[in-house]
Amino acid sequence: MHRRQLILGGAALALGTGPALSAPVTARDLSLDLEIVRQAVSIHPGARRYLDESQLRAAQAGFEAAYQSAESLDGRFIALSQFLARLRCGHTQVNFYNQSRAVEADLLDRRTRLPFLFVWMDGAMIVTADHSGSRRLDPGTEILTVNGHPAGRILAEMMPYMRADGSNDGKRRDLLSVPGGEYHPTFDVFQSVFFPPLEGSFALTFRRPNGMTETVRVAAVDLNARRAMTPPPPPDDQPLWDWSVRPDGVVVLTMPTWVVYRGSWDWRGWLIERLDGLGDASGLIIDIRGCEGGLSCGDPILARLSNQDLILDDYEPRVRFRRSPPEMDAYFEAYDPESRTLGMQGVDVGDGFIGYPPARPADRIAAAGPRIPVRTAVLMDAANSSATFFFTARLKRLGLARLFGETSGGNLKGINAGQIFFVRLPGSGLEFDLPLVGNFPTSLQPDEGVAPDVRITCSAQDIAAGRDPVLSAAVDWIQRA
């Protein structure tokens, strides 16, 4: 029986590899946790987007049985993660960055990590940087087995626990890559539970770029070692993005994150100043690969790509409460107290939803000058699932730029985002994020992300050779103008 089946099948839920909680958890504690989860689901705007009532009830019943039977933090984390993933919402998750110090110490700070960076390509685990000290895992190497487990099986075991919108499995696979730049990669946390090291190490079978198959044993690494695999972020007052001019005059704007609200850097002024000075460029390439979202940093770009104001009426925001349950105030934390009364001025739109008043005008992005005067390409991938999803969707719908790369994350059927409650479960100590606003399309849409205009994927051979075929294709398109 696979470990996942053992955990969630109602059998012994204690995981021998994970530390127990520091204090016993009582049945009363767990009952309160379950009631908090029920209340959270009752106001989740997307809980019934992909599940009908009977499916939702069945999922909740399975979760509650697994959660109550769990004998460790690992078991409760897995039960909760699987249930939240069943909602098929990319913003509903056990958020590793919002946990208490006790949970972080128990669940997240373990010497269980693989000592290399990698990405998944068509189910294959491809090394992008070796930090094992073995000097054998060159970029482009394919990891075939980890402690005897085929890499494809490891991926398949973890997929049901990944947050993503609807049927967008590309986003789920993307979350399980470890390309560097994250403090708590999703893969690391789930791998520590399902596929931990044996006696502190991993036996790897791998295929090198030259086609030779070899084996090696490497030591597991801890959180600090994983963090050290990528350079530290710039100081809070320094740019998070890069603006470079190639010898051929093509400008490349690289935006690895839109989480720009944690420092004092004036991102908007920095961006507008550069966009307004594009006159001598031969083209503009905006690289948002790997960027989930943050603030709507693409709006100043959209404003300069259009000759007229952009009316953002393709999605309608809805909530499922007028006032969130007062008895949950102690457990539903919010940055903005007004989050608790989002629906007070709304109107009933049916099926338990509350919309904004009909007199409220649609959001718009006002056209701004000077207009971007050159061909513009956007490099995208499955990470683009929040603000960057909407950015790519609007570019595609309005034909404002040419999109290169892979299908985005998110979903054209709508995503749940906006304001968020941080839901604290006092029994287990776990926190999960609860989005409060559902965005629903005003016309029928497919269950998928935004498709690029030009679909291009990197290969293991590209990684081994240090090539970027997506960037090259965008440059070629600009130069053919």
Side-chain angles (χ1 to χ4, degrees), residues 417-448:
Q419 301 188 55
I420 287 179
F421 282 153
F422 306 102
V423 181
R424 305 281 177 186
L425 304 180
S428 66
L430 292 167
E431 179 275 346
F432 69 91
D433 291 358
L434 174 67
L436 305 182
V437 181
N439 296 283
F440 291 82
T442 54
S443 61
L444 186 64
Q445 296 292 329
D447 179 7
E448 61 190 26

Short mmCIF file of all heavy atoms in Angstrom, two decimals, residues 417-448:
data_model
loop_
_atom_site.label_atom_id
_atom_site.label_comp_id
_atom_site.label_asym_id
_atom_site.label_seq_id
_atom_site.Cartn_x
_atom_site.Cartn_y
_atom_site.Cartn_z
N ALA A 417 -10.04 34.88 -5.70
CA ALA A 417 -8.89 35.64 -5.22
C ALA A 417 -9.39 36.82 -4.40
O ALA A 417 -10.18 36.65 -3.48
CB ALA A 417 -8.04 36.08 -6.40
N GLY A 418 -8.97 38.02 -4.77
CA GLY A 418 -9.40 39.20 -4.02
C GLY A 418 -8.90 39.15 -2.60
O GLY A 418 -7.77 38.75 -2.34
N GLN A 419 -9.74 39.53 -1.67
CA GLN A 419 -9.34 39.55 -0.27
C GLN A 419 -9.35 38.13 0.30
O GLN A 419 -10.03 37.24 -0.20
CB GLN A 419 -10.27 40.48 0.51
CG GLN A 419 -10.23 41.90 -0.02
CD GLN A 419 -10.98 42.88 0.86
OE1 GLN A 419 -10.70 42.98 2.05
NE2 GLN A 419 -11.92 43.60 0.29
N ILE A 420 -8.58 37.95 1.38
CA ILE A 420 -8.34 36.61 1.92
C ILE A 420 -8.49 36.61 3.43
O ILE A 420 -8.10 37.57 4.12
CB ILE A 420 -6.93 36.13 1.52
CG1 ILE A 420 -6.89 35.77 0.03
CG2 ILE A 420 -6.48 34.92 2.34
CD1 ILE A 420 -5.54 35.30 -0.46
N PHE A 421 -9.08 35.53 3.96
CA PHE A 421 -9.02 35.23 5.38
C PHE A 421 -7.89 34.23 5.61
O PHE A 421 -7.72 33.29 4.82
CB PHE A 421 -10.32 34.62 5.90
CG PHE A 421 -11.44 35.59 6.13
CD1 PHE A 421 -12.76 35.18 6.04
CD2 PHE A 421 -11.19 36.91 6.48
CE1 PHE A 421 -13.81 36.06 6.27
CE2 PHE A 421 -12.22 37.81 6.70
CZ PHE A 421 -13.53 37.38 6.60
N PHE A 422 -7.14 34.44 6.68
CA PHE A 422 -6.14 33.46 7.10
C PHE A 422 -6.79 32.65 8.22
O PHE A 422 -6.96 33.13 9.34
CB PHE A 422 -4.88 34.17 7.59
CG PHE A 422 -4.34 35.14 6.56
CD1 PHE A 422 -4.55 36.50 6.69
CD2 PHE A 422 -3.66 34.67 5.45
CE1 PHE A 422 -4.08 37.40 5.74
CE2 PHE A 422 -3.20 35.56 4.49
CZ PHE A 422 -3.40 36.92 4.63
N VAL A 423 -7.16 31.43 7.90
CA VAL A 423 -7.96 30.60 8.81
C VAL A 423 -7.02 29.81 9.71
O VAL A 423 -6.20 29.01 9.23
CB VAL A 423 -8.88 29.66 8.02
CG1 VAL A 423 -9.71 28.81 8.98
CG2 VAL A 423 -9.79 30.46 7.08
N ARG A 424 -7.15 30.02 11.01
CA ARG A 424 -6.31 29.35 12.00
C ARG A 424 -7.09 28.22 12.67
O ARG A 424 -8.18 28.45 13.20
CB ARG A 424 -5.84 30.33 13.08
CG ARG A 424 -5.12 31.56 12.54
CD ARG A 424 -3.69 31.27 12.19
NE ARG A 424 -3.02 32.45 11.60
CZ ARG A 424 -1.79 32.41 11.11
NH1 ARG A 424 -1.09 31.29 11.13
NH2 ARG A 424 -1.25 33.50 10.57
N LEU A 425 -6.51 27.03 12.66
CA LEU A 425 -7.12 25.88 13.33
C LEU A 425 -6.41 25.67 14.66
O LEU A 425 -5.26 25.22 14.68
CB LEU A 425 -7.01 24.64 12.44
CG LEU A 425 -7.62 24.78 11.03
CD1 LEU A 425 -7.46 23.48 10.25
CD2 LEU A 425 -9.09 25.18 11.12
N PRO A 426 -7.05 25.98 15.77
CA PRO A 426 -6.35 25.94 17.06
C PRO A 426 -5.94 24.54 17.49
O PRO A 426 -4.97 24.39 18.23
CB PRO A 426 -7.37 26.55 18.04
CG PRO A 426 -8.70 26.36 17.38
CD PRO A 426 -8.44 26.47 15.91
N GLY A 427 -6.66 23.53 17.05
CA GLY A 427 -6.32 22.17 17.47
C GLY A 427 -5.00 21.71 16.89
O GLY A 427 -4.07 21.34 17.61
N SER A 428 -4.89 21.75 15.56
CA SER A 428 -3.66 21.31 14.90
C SER A 428 -2.61 22.40 14.84
O SER A 428 -1.42 22.11 14.71
CB SER A 428 -3.98 20.84 13.47
OG SER A 428 -4.42 21.94 12.68
N GLY A 429 -3.05 23.66 14.90
CA GLY A 429 -2.12 24.77 14.73
C GLY A 429 -1.92 25.17 13.29
O GLY A 429 -1.21 26.14 13.01
N LEU A 430 -2.54 24.45 12.35
CA LEU A 430 -2.37 24.75 10.93
C LEU A 430 -3.15 25.99 10.52
O LEU A 430 -4.19 26.30 11.10
CB LEU A 430 -2.83 23.56 10.09
CG LEU A 430 -1.99 22.29 10.18
CD1 LEU A 430 -2.72 21.12 9.55
CD2 LEU A 430 -0.63 22.50 9.50
N GLU A 431 -2.64 26.69 9.51
CA GLU A 431 -3.34 27.81 8.88
C GLU A 431 -3.59 27.47 7.43
O GLU A 431 -2.77 26.82 6.78
CB GLU A 431 -2.49 29.08 8.96
CG GLU A 431 -3.12 30.32 8.31
CD GLU A 431 -2.89 30.45 6.81
OE1 GLU A 431 -2.01 29.73 6.27
OE2 GLU A 431 -3.59 31.26 6.16
N PHE A 432 -4.76 27.90 6.89
CA PHE A 432 -4.95 27.84 5.45
C PHE A 432 -5.57 29.14 4.96
O PHE A 432 -6.26 29.84 5.71
CB PHE A 432 -5.77 26.62 5.02
CG PHE A 432 -7.22 26.62 5.42
CD1 PHE A 432 -8.20 27.15 4.59
CD2 PHE A 432 -7.62 26.06 6.62
CE1 PHE A 432 -9.54 27.13 4.93
CE2 PHE A 432 -8.96 26.04 6.99
CZ PHE A 432 -9.93 26.56 6.14
N ASP A 433 -5.29 29.47 3.70
CA ASP A 433 -5.78 30.70 3.08
C ASP A 433 -7.16 30.46 2.48
O ASP A 433 -7.37 29.47 1.77
CB ASP A 433 -4.84 31.16 1.97
CG ASP A 433 -3.50 31.66 2.50
OD1 ASP A 433 -3.31 31.68 3.73
OD2 ASP A 433 -2.64 32.03 1.67
N LEU A 434 -8.08 31.38 2.75
CA LEU A 434 -9.45 31.30 2.24
C LEU A 434 -9.74 32.53 1.39
O LEU A 434 -9.93 33.63 1.92
CB LEU A 434 -10.45 31.23 3.40
CG LEU A 434 -11.93 31.28 3.05
CD1 LEU A 434 -12.35 30.03 2.29
CD2 LEU A 434 -12.78 31.45 4.31
N PRO A 435 -9.76 32.41 0.05
CA PRO A 435 -10.12 33.56 -0.79
C PRO A 435 -11.59 33.89 -0.62
O PRO A 435 -12.43 33.00 -0.42
CB PRO A 435 -9.81 33.07 -2.20
CG PRO A 435 -9.95 31.59 -2.13
CD PRO A 435 -9.50 31.20 -0.74
N LEU A 436 -11.94 35.16 -0.70
CA LEU A 436 -13.29 35.60 -0.39
C LEU A 436 -14.09 36.02 -1.61
O LEU A 436 -15.32 36.09 -1.55
CB LEU A 436 -13.23 36.78 0.60
CG LEU A 436 -12.47 36.51 1.89
CD1 LEU A 436 -12.53 37.73 2.80
CD2 LEU A 436 -13.01 35.29 2.61
N VAL A 437 -13.43 36.33 -2.72
CA VAL A 437 -14.12 36.84 -3.91
C VAL A 437 -13.93 35.85 -5.05
O VAL A 437 -12.80 35.50 -5.41
CB VAL A 437 -13.60 38.22 -4.32
CG1 VAL A 437 -14.36 38.74 -5.54
CG2 VAL A 437 -13.72 39.21 -3.16
N GLY A 438 -15.04 35.41 -5.61
CA GLY A 438 -14.99 34.56 -6.80
C GLY A 438 -15.19 35.40 -8.04
O GLY A 438 -16.09 36.26 -8.09
N ASN A 439 -14.37 35.19 -9.04
CA ASN A 439 -14.52 35.88 -10.33
C ASN A 439 -15.13 34.90 -11.32
O ASN A 439 -14.55 33.85 -11.61
CB ASN A 439 -13.17 36.37 -10.81
CG ASN A 439 -12.57 37.41 -9.89
OD1 ASN A 439 -12.97 38.57 -9.91
ND2 ASN A 439 -11.62 37.01 -9.07
N PHE A 440 -16.31 35.25 -11.84
CA PHE A 440 -17.05 34.35 -12.73
C PHE A 440 -17.18 34.98 -14.11
O PHE A 440 -17.53 36.16 -14.22
CB PHE A 440 -18.42 34.05 -12.13
CG PHE A 440 -18.35 33.21 -10.88
CD1 PHE A 440 -18.08 33.79 -9.65
CD2 PHE A 440 -18.51 31.83 -10.95
CE1 PHE A 440 -17.99 33.02 -8.49
CE2 PHE A 440 -18.41 31.06 -9.81
CZ PHE A 440 -18.15 31.65 -8.57
N PRO A 441 -16.88 34.21 -15.18
CA PRO A 441 -16.90 34.78 -16.52
C PRO A 441 -18.30 35.18 -16.95
O PRO A 441 -19.29 34.54 -16.59
CB PRO A 441 -16.35 33.64 -17.39
CG PRO A 441 -16.66 32.40 -16.61
CD PRO A 441 -16.55 32.78 -15.16
N THR A 442 -18.38 36.23 -17.72
CA THR A 442 -19.68 36.72 -18.21
C THR A 442 -20.11 35.98 -19.47
O THR A 442 -21.22 36.19 -19.96
CB THR A 442 -19.60 38.22 -18.49
OG1 THR A 442 -18.51 38.48 -19.39
CG2 THR A 442 -19.37 39.00 -17.20
N SER A 443 -19.24 35.13 -20.01
CA SER A 443 -19.61 34.28 -21.14
C SER A 443 -19.01 32.90 -20.91
O SER A 443 -18.07 32.73 -20.11
CB SER A 443 -19.09 34.86 -22.46
OG SER A 443 -17.67 34.96 -22.45
N LEU A 444 -19.54 31.90 -21.58
CA LEU A 444 -19.09 30.52 -21.39
C LEU A 444 -17.61 30.39 -21.74
O LEU A 444 -17.17 30.84 -22.79
CB LEU A 444 -19.92 29.58 -22.26
CG LEU A 444 -19.68 28.08 -22.06
CD1 LEU A 444 -20.09 27.67 -20.65
CD2 LEU A 444 -20.46 27.28 -23.09
N GLN A 445 -16.85 29.76 -20.82
CA GLN A 445 -15.42 29.62 -21.01
C GLN A 445 -14.99 28.17 -20.78
O GLN A 445 -15.61 27.45 -19.99
CB GLN A 445 -14.64 30.54 -20.05
CG GLN A 445 -14.86 32.02 -20.28
CD GLN A 445 -14.28 32.50 -21.59
OE1 GLN A 445 -13.28 31.97 -22.08
NE2 GLN A 445 -14.92 33.50 -22.19
N PRO A 446 -13.91 27.73 -21.40
CA PRO A 446 -13.42 26.36 -21.19
C PRO A 446 -12.69 26.22 -19.87
O PRO A 446 -12.22 27.21 -19.29
CB PRO A 446 -12.48 26.15 -22.38
CG PRO A 446 -11.98 27.52 -22.70
CD PRO A 446 -13.13 28.45 -22.43
N ASP A 447 -12.56 24.99 -19.41
CA ASP A 447 -11.88 24.67 -18.17
C ASP A 447 -10.39 24.52 -18.46
O ASP A 447 -9.85 23.41 -18.51
CB ASP A 447 -12.48 23.37 -17.60
CG ASP A 447 -11.82 22.93 -16.30
OD1 ASP A 447 -10.99 23.68 -15.77
OD2 ASP A 447 -12.14 21.82 -15.83
N GLU A 448 -9.71 25.64 -18.63
CA GLU A 448 -8.29 25.62 -18.98
C GLU A 448 -7.68 26.99 -18.75
O GLU A 448 -8.39 27.98 -18.54
CB GLU A 448 -8.10 25.22 -20.45
CG GLU A 448 -8.76 26.17 -21.43
CD GLU A 448 -8.78 25.64 -22.86
OE1 GLU A 448 -8.76 24.41 -23.02
OE2 GLU A 448 -8.83 26.47 -23.79
#
